[in-house]
Amino acid sequence: MAKIDEITRESWIMSSCPEWGTWLNEEIEEEEVQPGNVAMWWLGCTGLWVKTPGGCNISIDLWCGNGKRSKQNKYMAKGHQMANMCGGRLLQPNLRATPFVIDPFAVKHVDAVLATHYHQDHMDPNYAAAVLRNVEEKVPFIGPKKSIELWRSWGVPEDRFIEVKPGDSVKIKDIEILALESFDRTCLVTTNGEEDIRHTCPDDMDEKAVNYLIKTPGGNIYHSGDSHYSIYFAKHGKDHKIDVAFGSYGENPVGIADKMTSCDILRMGEALNCQVVIPIHYDVWTNFMADTREIEVLYEMKKYRLNYQFHPFIWEVGGKYVYPADKEKRQYHHDRGFSDCFIEEPNTPFRSIL
C-alpha cells in the first residue's frame, strides 16, 4: 500500500480507472459459449460485446470517453446536434453516470469493431488505438461512411475499413452482420462544424448511420444504435427474424426528442416481432437518465390487451446475457457471490453455537 507522501493525482487516476479493471475482460475471455447460444455483455451507453460458440468476438459502439468535466463548457457548442435539434443555445449537463467496465487496452482478441454512427459516445480513439496495437489479427473496422471518415482521421489504416450501407452484409466466422436502415433523426441535424445545417437532408442518413442485424448460432440480435421510433421498424420485423432487440431509451429534456420513451421501446419490440427487447443508453448521461420501471409497468398494463409476444429485459452495465439460455429472465442482477461460502467450512469461534 502506498504511503501518503507517494500518492498523487496521477497515481490515484491510474489505480482507479477503469473502475472494473480487467475483470470483465477476463470474464469475456474465459466464457465458453454453449452450442445454440450467443453471449452478450453491456458495456455502457449502446456498447455491446457479442461472443459466439465458434469464438467470434465483435464489439459494437464501444466507447471509453466522458462528457462534461467542467462548468466552464456547460453549454453545447454551435452546430452540436442537440443545439441544432432544439434550435437554440442549450444547457447540456451531460456528465457520465456509468463506470468504465472494460479496459480497452486489455482487449487481446476481437474479430471486428463495429460502429452504428459517428457520434462521440459511439466511437472511441482509445479503443481503436488499443486494437491496432494489441490485437494480432487484422481486425476490420465496420461502419457507415461517416464512421469510416472519423476512424481515418484518427489514423486507422485504410486496409482495415469495411464501409457499409443498408443492405450490405459481412460474414465473420460463425456470424453474419447485416446493415439495415437507421432512424436516428438526431444524426441528420449533426454538422461537422463547417457545413450549413440547411444543407443536411434525409438522403444523408445512410452515410451517417446504420442499424445492425447480427445473425448468430444462438439467435439474431438487432442493434438500433440511436434510432428514434419509426414505423419502418415494422418492415425490419417482417423482413427478418429478430430474437433480441436493443433500443436507445431515455428521459428527454424539454425541447429535445433524442431518445425513445417507454412507449416507444414497447412499440419497437412489437413492431420488430422480437422475443426480447432491451433498453440501453439511458444509463450514461445524467441529463437523460430514465427509470426502467416505467417500461415494466406499461408492459404489465398492456401485455394481455395487446397480446404482446415479447417481453422486456432490464439489464445492468457490465452484465452478461446469454440467449436463449436467459430468454425467460426479466431483470438482471450481478453475481452476488456466497454460493460457495461453505465449500470449506470456516473454523470460527462462534461455529459451535450456530
Side-chain angles (χ1 to χ4, degrees), residues 58-88:
I58 66 169
S59 65
I60 307 170
D61 285 4
L62 172 50
W63 168 67
C64 309
N66 46 46
K68 290 292 182 292
R69 295 173 61 83
S70 168
K71 285 200 170 187
Q72 302 304 310
N73 65 337
K74 59 186 177 182
Y75 288 98
M76 286 289 93
K78 181 181 178 181
H80 189 277
Q81 66 263 21
M82 293 299 173
N84 291 338
M85 176 176 284
C86 73

Side-chain angles (χ1 to χ4, degrees), residues 165-186:
K165 61 183 182 304
D168 292 343
S169 67
V170 181
K171 189 79 167 62
I172 298 177
K173 290 187 175 179
D174 57 348
I175 70 169
E176 180 185 358
I177 301 163
L178 178 62
L180 299 173
E181 293 85 357
S182 171
F183 316 118
D184 184 359
R185 293 191 297 275
T186 305

Side-chain angles (χ1 to χ4, degrees), residues 144-206:
K145 180 180 179 181
K146 287 289 187 178
S147 294
I148 298 296
E149 291 176 356
L150 185 56
W151 277 321
R152 181 181 291 119
S153 73
W154 293 340
V156 175
E158 199 69 31
D159 62 353
R160 294 296 188 96
F161 300 138
I162 299 179
E163 182 180 322
V164 293
K165 61 183 182 304
D168 292 343
S169 67
V170 181
K171 189 79 167 62
I172 298 177
K173 290 187 175 179
D174 57 348
I175 70 169
E176 180 185 358
I177 301 163
L178 178 62
L180 299 173
E181 293 85 357
S182 171
F183 316 118
D184 184 359
R185 293 191 297 275
T186 305
C187 224
L188 292 180
V189 297
T190 302
T191 68
N192 292 337
E194 74 283 351
E195 59 182 312
D196 192 324
I197 185 59
R198 292 171 297 180
H199 296 159
T200 302
C201 64
D203 292 341
D204 297 330
M205 181 68 90
D206 292 349

Side-chain angles (χ1 to χ4, degrees), residues 8-282:
T8 64
R9 182 174 184 273
E10 288 70 27
S11 68
W12 162 63
I13 292 172
M14 291 301 293
S15 64
S16 302
C17 184
E19 290 89 338
W20 281 30
T22 60
W23 177 284
L24 193 60
N25 297 76
E26 295 166 28
E27 179 177 311
I28 293 171
E29 289 174 15
E30 294 169 1
E31 180 73 15
E32 294 184 9
V33 184
Q34 296 304 304
N37 286 270
V38 57
M40 295 162 265
W41 290 264
W42 185 16
L43 308 178
C45 197
T46 65
L48 192 68
W49 194 283
V50 178
K51 187 173 184 178
T52 67
C56 184
N57 288 269
I58 66 169
S59 65
I60 307 170
D61 285 4
L62 172 50
W63 168 67
C64 309
N66 46 46
K68 290 292 182 292
R69 295 173 61 83
S70 168
K71 285 200 170 187
Q72 302 304 310
N73 65 337
K74 59 186 177 182
Y75 288 98
M76 286 289 93
K78 181 181 178 181
H80 189 277
Q81 66 263 21
M82 293 299 173
N84 291 338
M85 176 176 284
C86 73
R89 195 179 187 208
L90 180 69
L91 178 64
Q92 173 85 330
N94 59 323
L95 300 165
R96 182 179 175 120
T98 48
F100 295 105
V101 296
I102 194 165
D103 184 343
F105 287 92
V107 171
K108 300 175 183 177
H109 176 74
V110 64
D111 293 290
V113 175
L114 278 66
T116 58
H117 63 294
Y118 68 112
H119 283 165
Q120 65 104 7
D121 53 347
H122 298 262
M123 296 179 61
D124 192 85
N126 304 288
Y127 179 50
V131 169
L132 291 173
R133 293 174 191 171
N134 301 334
V135 179
E136 294 181 2
E137 298 87 351
K138 193 173 181 179
V139 179
F141 288 68
I142 303 170
K145 180 180 179 181
K146 287 289 187 178
S147 294
I148 298 296
E149 291 176 356
L150 185 56
W151 277 321
R152 181 181 291 119
S153 73
W154 293 340
V156 175
E158 199 69 31
D159 62 353
R160 294 296 188 96
F161 300 138
I162 299 179
E163 182 180 322
V164 293
K165 61 183 182 304
D168 292 343
S169 67
V170 181
K171 189 79 167 62
I172 298 177
K173 290 187 175 179
D174 57 348
I175 70 169
E176 180 185 358
I177 301 163
L178 178 62
L180 299 173
E181 293 85 357
S182 171
F183 316 118
D184 184 359
R185 293 191 297 275
T186 305
C187 224
L188 292 180
V189 297
T190 302
T191 68
N192 292 337
E194 74 283 351
E195 59 182 312
D196 192 324
I197 185 59
R198 292 171 297 180
H199 296 159
T200 302
C201 64
D203 292 341
D204 297 330
M205 181 68 90
D206 292 349
E207 296 181 356
K208 289 187 169 185
V210 295
N211 292 353
Y212 288 113
L213 184 66
I214 312 298
K215 299 181 179 181
T216 81
N220 294 343
I221 303 164
Y222 183 90
H223 195 300
S224 64
D226 269 357
S227 287
H228 301 202
Y229 182 78
S230 171
I231 58 173
Y232 210 82
F233 278 137
K235 186 173 191 309
H236 288 176
K238 289 183 182 298
D239 290 348
H240 307 282
K241 181 182 182 297
I242 298 171
D243 294 294
V244 181
F246 293 91
S248 285
Y249 170 55
E251 192 69 60
N252 294 298
V254 174
I256 295 296
D258 183 57
K259 297 291 177 284
M260 283 190 276
T261 66
S262 52
C263 292
D264 295 329
I265 291 293
L266 295 180
R267 292 175 70 200
M268 182 185 82
E270 183 180 32
L272 291 174
N273 195 28
C274 63
Q275 300 297 306
V276 181
V277 64
I278 303 178
I280 51 177
H281 209 320
Y282 65 89

